[in-house]
Amino acid sequence: MVAQEAPIKINCLTIPTYENVVSLYRNKESTQYFVQYEAPDGTPIDAAYWLSSPTFFKSEDFYVYAEKLQEHEKQLKQLNRHNENSSVTTLWGTSYEKCEYAVGVIFYRTPDHGGFYLSEQMNERVHYLYRNTSCWYEEDVEAFKIINSFPELFTDLEKANADIVLRNFFPFPYEKINNVSLSEGESFVKDREAFYYQHRNDWIGTFTSPIYGRSNVIRVEAALGGKKLKAHIKHFEVPLSEYLSRNRFGMIIDPKRHPEILEH
Protein backbone atom coordinates (compact mmCIF):
# COMPACT_ATOMS: atom_id res chain seq x y z
CA MET A 1 0.00 0.00 0.00
CA VAL A 2 1.40 3.40 -0.98
CA ALA A 3 1.42 5.97 1.79
CA GLN A 4 -1.00 8.76 0.94
CA GLU A 5 1.46 11.48 1.90
CA ALA A 6 3.79 10.37 -0.92
CA PRO A 7 2.76 11.19 -4.51
CA ILE A 8 3.00 8.29 -6.96
CA LYS A 9 4.91 8.65 -10.23
CA ILE A 10 3.53 6.92 -13.31
CA ASN A 11 5.06 7.58 -16.73
CA CYS A 12 6.61 10.82 -15.48
CA LEU A 13 3.23 11.97 -14.12
CA THR A 14 2.61 12.40 -10.44
CA ILE A 15 -0.61 11.29 -8.79
CA PRO A 16 -1.17 13.73 -5.93
CA THR A 17 -2.50 13.10 -2.49
CA TYR A 18 -6.13 14.07 -2.13
CA GLU A 19 -5.25 16.69 0.46
CA ASN A 20 -3.24 18.65 -2.14
CA VAL A 21 -6.06 18.80 -4.70
CA VAL A 22 -7.21 22.32 -5.52
CA SER A 23 -9.99 21.40 -7.95
CA LEU A 24 -11.43 18.34 -9.65
CA TYR A 25 -13.75 18.46 -12.65
CA ARG A 26 -15.02 16.04 -15.26
CA ASN A 27 -14.85 15.91 -19.03
CA LYS A 28 -18.57 15.63 -19.89
CA GLU A 29 -17.89 13.28 -22.81
CA SER A 30 -15.92 10.70 -20.85
CA THR A 31 -15.02 9.41 -17.41
CA GLN A 32 -11.83 11.46 -17.45
CA TYR A 33 -11.36 13.75 -14.48
CA PHE A 34 -9.03 16.72 -14.58
CA VAL A 35 -7.15 17.34 -11.38
CA GLN A 36 -5.40 20.53 -10.37
CA TYR A 37 -3.13 20.18 -7.38
CA GLU A 38 -0.15 21.85 -5.76
CA ALA A 39 3.39 20.53 -5.99
CA PRO A 40 5.50 20.53 -2.80
CA ASP A 41 6.83 23.98 -3.74
CA GLY A 42 3.29 25.33 -4.20
CA THR A 43 3.36 25.27 -8.02
CA PRO A 44 -0.10 24.49 -9.49
CA ILE A 45 -0.13 21.38 -11.70
CA ASP A 46 -2.86 20.10 -14.01
CA ALA A 47 -3.25 16.42 -14.84
CA ALA A 48 -5.92 14.07 -16.18
CA TYR A 49 -6.79 10.62 -14.89
CA TRP A 50 -9.29 7.98 -15.94
CA LEU A 51 -11.35 7.64 -12.78
CA SER A 52 -14.76 6.21 -12.06
CA SER A 53 -15.72 9.14 -9.83
CA PRO A 54 -14.25 11.86 -7.61
CA THR A 55 -15.14 9.66 -4.64
CA PHE A 56 -12.90 6.93 -6.04
CA PHE A 57 -10.05 9.42 -6.25
CA LYS A 58 -10.53 10.28 -2.58
CA SER A 59 -10.72 6.67 -1.42
CA GLU A 60 -7.82 4.39 -0.57
CA ASP A 61 -8.91 2.20 -3.51
CA PHE A 62 -7.50 4.86 -5.81
CA TYR A 63 -4.05 4.51 -4.32
CA VAL A 64 -4.24 0.73 -4.65
CA TYR A 65 -5.28 1.26 -8.28
CA ALA A 66 -2.43 3.72 -8.81
CA GLU A 67 0.04 1.23 -7.39
CA LYS A 68 -1.21 -1.39 -9.86
CA LEU A 69 -0.79 1.10 -12.70
CA GLN A 70 2.75 1.76 -11.60
CA GLU A 71 3.56 -1.96 -11.70
CA HIS A 72 1.75 -2.23 -15.05
CA GLU A 73 4.05 0.42 -16.54
CA LYS A 74 7.13 -1.40 -15.26
CA GLN A 75 5.98 -4.70 -16.75
CA LEU A 76 5.15 -3.08 -20.10
CA LYS A 77 8.77 -1.98 -20.45
CA GLN A 78 9.88 -5.60 -20.04
CA LEU A 79 7.57 -6.91 -22.77
CA ASN A 80 8.83 -7.02 -26.33
CA ARG A 81 6.00 -5.22 -28.12
CA HIS A 82 6.65 -3.47 -31.42
CA ASN A 83 4.43 -0.76 -32.93
CA GLU A 84 4.70 0.20 -36.59
CA ASN A 85 2.63 1.61 -39.43
CA SER A 86 0.41 -0.90 -41.16
CA SER A 87 -1.96 -1.13 -44.12
CA VAL A 88 -3.67 -4.49 -43.82
CA THR A 89 -7.27 -5.43 -44.57
CA THR A 90 -8.99 -6.41 -41.33
CA LEU A 91 -12.57 -7.19 -40.30
CA TRP A 92 -12.94 -3.50 -39.41
CA GLY A 93 -11.38 -1.90 -42.46
CA THR A 94 -7.81 -1.07 -43.39
CA SER A 95 -5.38 -0.79 -40.49
CA TYR A 96 -3.12 2.19 -39.91
CA GLU A 97 -0.99 0.63 -37.16
CA LYS A 98 -0.07 -2.76 -35.78
CA CYS A 99 1.51 -3.97 -32.58
CA GLU A 100 3.36 -7.29 -32.62
CA TYR A 101 3.14 -9.02 -29.24
CA ALA A 102 4.90 -12.14 -30.51
CA VAL A 103 5.35 -13.97 -33.79
CA GLY A 104 1.83 -14.77 -34.93
CA VAL A 105 0.12 -12.52 -32.35
CA ILE A 106 -0.58 -9.10 -33.86
CA PHE A 107 -2.96 -6.35 -32.80
CA TYR A 108 -4.28 -4.16 -35.65
CA ARG A 109 -5.76 -0.69 -35.21
CA THR A 110 -8.15 0.91 -37.71
CA PRO A 111 -9.91 4.30 -37.58
CA ASP A 112 -13.11 2.58 -36.40
CA HIS A 113 -12.06 -0.44 -34.37
CA GLY A 114 -9.33 -3.01 -33.90
CA GLY A 115 -8.38 -6.41 -32.63
CA PHE A 116 -5.95 -9.31 -32.60
CA TYR A 117 -5.11 -11.55 -35.51
CA LEU A 118 -3.44 -14.89 -34.78
CA SER A 119 -1.57 -17.18 -37.11
CA GLU A 120 -3.21 -20.59 -37.46
CA GLN A 121 -0.47 -22.12 -35.33
CA MET A 122 -0.98 -19.61 -32.51
CA ASN A 123 -4.75 -19.89 -32.80
CA GLU A 124 -4.45 -23.58 -31.96
CA ARG A 125 -3.10 -22.54 -28.55
CA VAL A 126 -6.38 -20.80 -27.72
CA HIS A 127 -8.69 -23.08 -25.73
CA TYR A 128 -11.29 -24.54 -28.08
CA LEU A 129 -14.10 -23.00 -26.01
CA TYR A 130 -12.61 -19.55 -26.60
CA ARG A 131 -11.17 -20.13 -30.09
CA ASN A 132 -12.47 -18.21 -33.13
CA THR A 133 -11.97 -20.14 -36.36
CA SER A 134 -11.50 -16.84 -38.21
CA CYS A 135 -8.36 -16.14 -36.10
CA TRP A 136 -9.68 -12.59 -35.49
CA TYR A 137 -10.55 -11.29 -32.00
CA GLU A 138 -12.10 -7.83 -31.73
CA GLU A 139 -10.76 -5.48 -29.08
CA ASP A 140 -13.81 -4.82 -26.87
CA VAL A 141 -14.42 -8.33 -25.54
CA GLU A 142 -12.88 -11.05 -27.72
CA ALA A 143 -9.34 -9.75 -27.20
CA PHE A 144 -9.43 -10.85 -23.57
CA LYS A 145 -9.46 -14.44 -24.79
CA ILE A 146 -5.98 -13.76 -26.19
CA ILE A 147 -4.74 -12.41 -22.87
CA ASN A 148 -5.99 -15.58 -21.19
CA SER A 149 -4.35 -17.77 -23.84
CA PHE A 150 -0.93 -16.09 -23.83
CA PRO A 151 -0.42 -14.81 -20.26
CA GLU A 152 3.33 -14.48 -20.77
CA LEU A 153 2.69 -11.63 -23.24
CA PHE A 154 0.67 -9.43 -20.88
CA THR A 155 0.93 -7.54 -17.61
CA ASP A 156 -0.68 -8.55 -14.34
CA LEU A 157 -3.21 -5.74 -14.69
CA GLU A 158 -4.17 -6.85 -18.21
CA LYS A 159 -4.58 -10.44 -17.01
CA ALA A 160 -6.73 -9.36 -14.07
CA ASN A 161 -8.96 -7.34 -16.41
CA ALA A 162 -9.21 -10.33 -18.75
CA ASP A 163 -10.41 -12.54 -15.93
CA ILE A 164 -13.14 -10.03 -15.09
CA VAL A 165 -14.34 -9.74 -18.70
CA LEU A 166 -14.28 -13.48 -19.44
CA ARG A 167 -16.11 -14.27 -16.21
CA ASN A 168 -18.79 -11.67 -16.94
CA PHE A 169 -19.36 -12.24 -20.65
CA PHE A 170 -18.26 -15.85 -21.29
CA PRO A 171 -19.34 -17.49 -18.02
CA PHE A 172 -20.05 -20.99 -19.29
CA PRO A 173 -16.71 -21.55 -21.07
CA TYR A 174 -15.05 -19.81 -18.11
CA GLU A 175 -16.58 -22.28 -15.65
CA LYS A 176 -15.53 -25.32 -17.68
CA ILE A 177 -12.00 -24.10 -18.36
CA ASN A 178 -11.34 -23.06 -14.75
CA ASN A 179 -13.39 -25.85 -13.15
CA VAL A 180 -15.43 -23.40 -11.07
CA SER A 181 -19.08 -22.56 -10.56
CA LEU A 182 -19.88 -18.85 -10.63
CA SER A 183 -22.30 -17.65 -7.99
CA GLU A 184 -24.94 -14.96 -8.29
CA GLY A 185 -23.29 -11.59 -8.73
CA GLU A 186 -20.10 -12.96 -10.28
CA SER A 187 -21.16 -12.90 -13.94
CA PHE A 188 -23.30 -10.38 -15.80
CA VAL A 189 -24.36 -12.82 -18.52
CA LYS A 190 -25.11 -15.69 -16.15
CA ASP A 191 -27.15 -13.41 -13.88
CA ARG A 192 -29.04 -12.05 -16.89
CA GLU A 193 -29.93 -15.53 -18.13
CA ALA A 194 -31.07 -16.54 -14.65
CA PHE A 195 -33.22 -13.40 -14.44
CA TYR A 196 -34.99 -14.08 -17.73
CA TYR A 197 -35.51 -17.74 -16.87
CA GLN A 198 -36.95 -16.87 -13.46
CA HIS A 199 -39.31 -14.31 -15.04
CA ARG A 200 -40.10 -16.18 -18.26
CA ASN A 201 -43.84 -15.92 -17.50
CA ASP A 202 -43.75 -12.30 -16.28
CA TRP A 203 -44.18 -9.05 -18.14
CA ILE A 204 -40.80 -7.31 -18.40
CA GLY A 205 -40.45 -3.66 -19.37
CA THR A 206 -38.55 -3.06 -22.60
CA PHE A 207 -39.36 0.56 -23.50
CA THR A 208 -40.74 3.68 -21.81
CA SER A 209 -42.52 6.86 -22.87
CA PRO A 210 -44.03 9.78 -20.95
CA ILE A 211 -47.69 10.12 -20.04
CA TYR A 212 -48.43 13.75 -20.77
CA GLY A 213 -49.70 15.73 -17.83
CA ARG A 214 -48.49 13.15 -15.29
CA SER A 215 -44.85 13.67 -14.34
CA ASN A 216 -44.77 11.01 -11.63
CA VAL A 217 -46.01 8.14 -13.85
CA ILE A 218 -44.59 6.69 -17.07
CA ARG A 219 -45.86 4.36 -19.76
CA VAL A 220 -43.91 1.10 -19.89
CA GLU A 221 -44.02 -1.21 -22.87
CA ALA A 222 -43.58 -4.76 -21.61
CA ALA A 223 -42.99 -8.10 -23.28
CA LEU A 224 -43.91 -11.50 -21.90
CA GLY A 225 -40.66 -13.03 -20.70
CA GLY A 226 -38.82 -10.05 -22.16
CA LYS A 227 -39.23 -11.39 -25.71
CA LYS A 228 -40.38 -8.60 -27.99
CA LEU A 229 -42.89 -10.54 -30.08
CA LYS A 230 -45.69 -8.40 -31.48
CA ALA A 231 -48.37 -10.71 -30.11
CA HIS A 232 -46.90 -10.54 -26.61
CA ILE A 233 -46.64 -6.78 -25.99
CA LYS A 234 -48.66 -4.76 -23.47
CA HIS A 235 -48.43 -1.28 -21.96
CA PHE A 236 -48.68 -0.40 -18.27
CA GLU A 237 -48.69 2.63 -15.99
CA VAL A 238 -45.73 2.54 -13.61
CA PRO A 239 -44.72 5.09 -10.95
CA LEU A 240 -41.55 6.82 -12.10
CA SER A 241 -39.84 6.29 -8.73
CA GLU A 242 -40.50 2.56 -8.94
CA TYR A 243 -39.20 2.35 -12.49
CA LEU A 244 -35.99 4.16 -11.55
CA SER A 245 -35.29 1.52 -8.89
CA ARG A 246 -35.92 -1.43 -11.24
CA ASN A 247 -33.71 -4.49 -11.60
CA ARG A 248 -30.74 -3.83 -13.90
CA PHE A 249 -32.10 -6.38 -16.40
CA GLY A 250 -35.59 -4.97 -16.63
CA MET A 251 -38.73 -3.72 -14.90
CA ILE A 252 -40.96 -6.54 -13.64
CA ILE A 253 -44.59 -5.59 -14.12
CA ASP A 254 -47.11 -6.51 -11.44
CA PRO A 255 -50.52 -6.48 -13.20
CA LYS A 256 -52.23 -6.18 -9.81
CA ARG A 257 -50.48 -2.87 -9.07
CA HIS A 258 -49.62 -1.54 -12.52
CA PRO A 259 -52.76 -0.69 -14.53
CA GLU A 260 -52.71 -1.86 -18.12
CA ILE A 261 -53.08 0.85 -20.76
CA LEU A 262 -55.52 -0.49 -23.32
CA GLU A 263 -55.03 0.58 -26.92
CA HIS A 264 -58.01 2.19 -28.62
Side-chain angles (χ1 to χ4, degrees):
M1 179 69 185
V2 177
Q4 292 195 15
E5 61 270 12
I8 306 165
K9 287 188 176 294
I10 296 179
N11 262 1
C12 300
L13 294 177
T14 301
I15 296 178
T17 64
Y18 186 77
E19 290 73 16
N20 292 337
V21 171
V22 176
S23 63
L24 180 68
Y25 59 97
R26 181 179 181 179
N27 179 345
K28 294 181 179 179
E29 298 179 355
S30 71
T31 55
Q32 190 175 40
Y33 283 85
F34 293 88
V35 182
Q36 185 182 73
Y37 62 98
E38 292 182 351
D41 62 359
T43 304
I45 300 174
D46 290 297
Y49 303 101
W50 295 99
L51 309 176
S52 57
S53 70
T55 303
F56 178 62
F57 179 81
K58 187 175 182 179
S59 72
E60 289 192 358
D61 288 342
F62 173 71
Y63 293 90
V64 174
Y65 171 70
E67 196 172 38
K68 290 179 180 179
L69 279 179
Q70 188 178 38
E71 183 61 27
H72 169 72
E73 295 293 338
K74 289 180 182 178
Q75 293 176 2
L76 276 180
K77 293 177 181 178
Q78 298 170 1
L79 295 172
N80 193 28
R81 297 180 185 177
H82 302 288
N83 289 289
E84 59 183 70
N85 294 334
S86 168
S87 181
V88 172
T89 300
T90 75
L91 296 182
W92 314 283
T94 303
S95 65
Y96 66 85
E97 185 180 53
K98 71 175 183 179
C99 178
E100 186 173 4
Y101 285 64
V103 176
V105 181
I106 300 176
F107 187 93
Y108 289 98
R109 296 181 178 87
T110 78
D112 295 324
H113 207 53
F116 281 101
Y117 179 76
L118 303 186
S119 66
E120 291 186 5
Q121 181 180 2
M122 297 301 271
N123 202 39
E124 285 297 316
R125 288 182 53 186
V126 178
H127 194 285
Y128 75 93
L129 292 175
Y130 285 155
R131 187 184 306 141
N132 293 347
T133 56
S134 67
C135 297
W136 288 99
Y137 298 81
E138 62 85 30
E139 63 184 344
D140 289 340
V141 178
E142 298 281 341
F144 293 98
K145 296 177 178 179
I146 306 307
I147 299 176
N148 176 265
S149 303
F150 304 95
E152 70 278 7
L153 302 180
F154 297 90
T155 69
D156 290 343
L157 184 60
E158 290 170 328
K159 287 181 281 190
N161 289 338
D163 186 80
I164 293 171
V165 172
L166 295 175
R167 169 167 46 83
N168 273 282
F169 295 99
F170 301 96
F172 305 112
Y174 181 95
E175 288 180 321
K176 291 183 179 179
I177 292 170
N178 295 285
N179 193 29
V180 297
S181 179
L182 297 172
S183 302
E184 182 180 354
E186 291 187 310
S187 171
F188 174 84
V189 167
K190 191 173 182 180
D191 288 352
R192 183 181 61 190
E193 292 202 7
F195 170 84
Y196 280 109
Y197 180 78
Q198 179 184 354
H199 297 286
R200 60 193 180 280
N201 296 317
D202 293 326
W203 294 96
I204 302 175
T206 58
F207 181 76
T208 64
S209 58
I211 297 178
Y212 295 102
R214 302 180 65 187
S215 60
N216 62 336
V217 178
I218 60 171
R219 174 192 182 105
V220 175
E221 179 181 282
L224 189 62
K227 298 178 180 179
K228 296 189 69 174
L229 302 176
K230 190 173 182 180
H232 296 150
I233 294 291
K234 290 185 178 182
H235 298 86
F236 299 87
E237 286 186 16
V238 176
L240 178 60
S241 59
E242 188 175 341
Y243 182 79
L244 292 176
S245 61
R246 68 192 182 280
N247 183 287
R248 63 174 174 163
F249 298 120
M251 173 74 200
I252 305 301
I253 298 297
D254 182 353
K256 295 180 180 179
R257 296 189 302 106
H258 303 136
E260 182 180 355
I261 301 174
L262 299 176
E263 301 294 338
H264 298 290

